[in-house]
Amino acid sequence: MNLIGINSKGQLINEEEATLSYACNSPKVVHECQRIRNEIGIGIGEQGDDGDGRGHGLFHDLFHDLYQRTGAPLHNAYALPQLRVYYKNNENNNNNSNATKYNENEKNKSEEGQKDVYKWTTISSYCLLRWTGQIFENNNINNDDDKNSSNNNLFKEIPISFSEASWTGLFNFRTCTWDQKCLDLLPDQCRKSLPRVADYTCENEQYVIEEYCSGSRTVTGIGTTRVRNPYWERWPELRGSYNSSDNANDSNNNCKLFLGFGDGI
């Protein structure tokens, strides 16, 4: 399991806390698991529990129901407790910052929003964002109209696969959607930042390495400028094209990229 936070420009959040991993063993996250158990009524020692934390009767049914929907137990290795801890920490940091007076107003403005997760994604989908030219280095916006846009982002979101979503422990594998009961345990900001999910083949979308970055813009914001995709030259064997006629005429432009797979499938 992995989730990484990116801002509205597609840049990685420069904080270790915005990287979630199956290897997490943070005491805060372990404690958060117990808090979740208490919230949904799975208490240790209740209803004839043998001490294994599973519970019996109604409490066991709730836990078993969660497991049957997501295929994952309530554990610190999965996303639910890790995301809750991340947003709690983020809220506490914001409160501490608001309580302190700074004179560096311009610096604060430039950093505004950089620590907020616009979208969670996986390492493989983030790589696809880079390789396909949806985001690129130094993609700063200097257009005032774009700055003021509430929908401002320089990349087309790439979903994560059902496979990787199921590894988070938040995914209902029976409906192939994020599990609503898990979402109810997350803050609203987090729910809005979860990525789209799709089959790894993405039949309705194509992800290919094209010659130019699709999200590029001019510095002045007038029209668009074509920024060359560095991976076009770096990996000529992996070149692709959205235009099927191009593929037919050039055997080198026929590579399609797929969403990531989690292991153990």
Side-chain angles (χ1 to χ4, degrees):
M1 193 280 293
N2 71 86
L3 286 174
I4 53 178
I6 56 178
N7 63 24
S8 61
K9 295 182 181 180
Q11 299 164 334
L12 293 173
I13 302 296
N14 190 27
E15 295 183 44
E16 292 182 1
E17 290 82 3
T19 301
L20 311 184
S21 167
Y22 187 79
C24 174
N25 59 0
S26 165
K28 288 185 178 180
V29 177
V30 174
H31 180 66
E32 191 65 29
C33 286
Q34 184 55 47
R35 293 174 66 95
I36 296 172
R37 289 189 181 96
N38 293 336
E39 283 186 35
I40 62 178
I42 306 171
I44 295 178
E46 298 189 48
Q47 293 291 319
D49 184 11
D50 295 326
D52 57 5
R54 297 177 183 177
H56 295 280
L58 173 62
F59 300 99
H60 173 70
D61 290 341
L62 291 171
F63 182 75
H64 182 72
D65 185 41
L66 174 68
Y67 207 153
Q68 288 299 309
R69 296 192 316 271
T70 66
L74 180 56
H75 192 275
N76 51 280
Y78 298 105
L80 177 58
Q82 293 188 44
L83 285 168
R84 282 171 54 115
V85 168
Y86 171 81
Y87 282 95
K88 285 181 180 179
N89 288 342
N90 200 40
E91 182 179 2
N92 291 336
N93 290 337
N94 288 338
N95 290 338
N96 291 336
S97 296
N98 292 334
T100 305
K101 301 298 183 181
Y102 292 97
N103 294 321
E104 303 178 42
N105 291 333
E106 292 304 318
K107 179 180 179 182
N108 289 342
K109 287 181 181 179
S110 66
E111 293 179 351
E112 184 178 357
Q114 297 301 306
K115 294 183 180 181
D116 293 333
V117 173
Y118 170 77
K119 191 66 64 177
W120 291 98
T121 187
T122 60
I123 294 174
S124 58
S125 287
Y126 181 75
C127 286
L128 287 180
L129 281 171
R130 295 294 300 267
W131 296 346
T132 58
Q134 296 298 328
I135 56 175
F136 49 94
E137 294 182 1
N138 301 321
N139 58 346
N140 295 316
I141 299 177
N142 291 321
N143 181 8
D144 291 337
D145 292 337
D146 286 338
K147 286 180 180 179
N148 295 330
S149 172
S150 60
N151 295 320
N152 174 39
N153 58 286
L154 290 185
F155 62 94
K156 177 184 177 183
E157 180 194 348
I158 289 182
I160 69 172
S161 69
F162 295 152
S163 171
E164 288 193 303
S166 66
W167 203 7
T168 66
L170 300 173
F171 186 72
N172 188 320
F173 65 85
R174 300 182 186 279
T175 62
C176 288
T177 59
W178 296 117
D179 184 72
Q180 186 58 51
K181 291 186 178 180
C182 286
L183 296 183
D184 291 341
L185 296 169
L186 293 169
D188 184 60
Q189 183 182 2
C190 178
R191 293 194 295 267
K192 293 178 179 178
S193 299
L194 290 177
R196 291 189 297 120
V197 292
D199 184 75
Y200 80 98
T201 59
C202 276
E203 296 179 357
N204 297 326
E205 302 178 60
Q206 288 190 18
Y207 302 115
V208 297
I209 296 178
E210 292 198 295
E211 186 172 2
Y212 295 98
C213 296
S214 59
S216 58
R217 301 185 182 185
T218 59
V219 173
T220 61
I222 301 175
T224 58
T225 185
R226 307 188 80 185
V227 176
R228 198 174 185 88
N229 186 347
Y231 299 100
W232 178 266
E233 294 296 337
R234 186 179 300 178
W235 299 328
E237 298 85 356
L238 299 183
R239 291 176 181 175
S241 174
Y242 288 107
N243 191 326
S244 58
S245 62
D246 290 344
N247 289 337
N249 297 327
D250 187 350
S251 60
N252 292 326
N253 288 12
N254 58 9
C255 181
K256 179 181 177 182
L257 305 177
F258 296 95
L259 301 179
F261 281 90
D263 63 357
I265 59 173

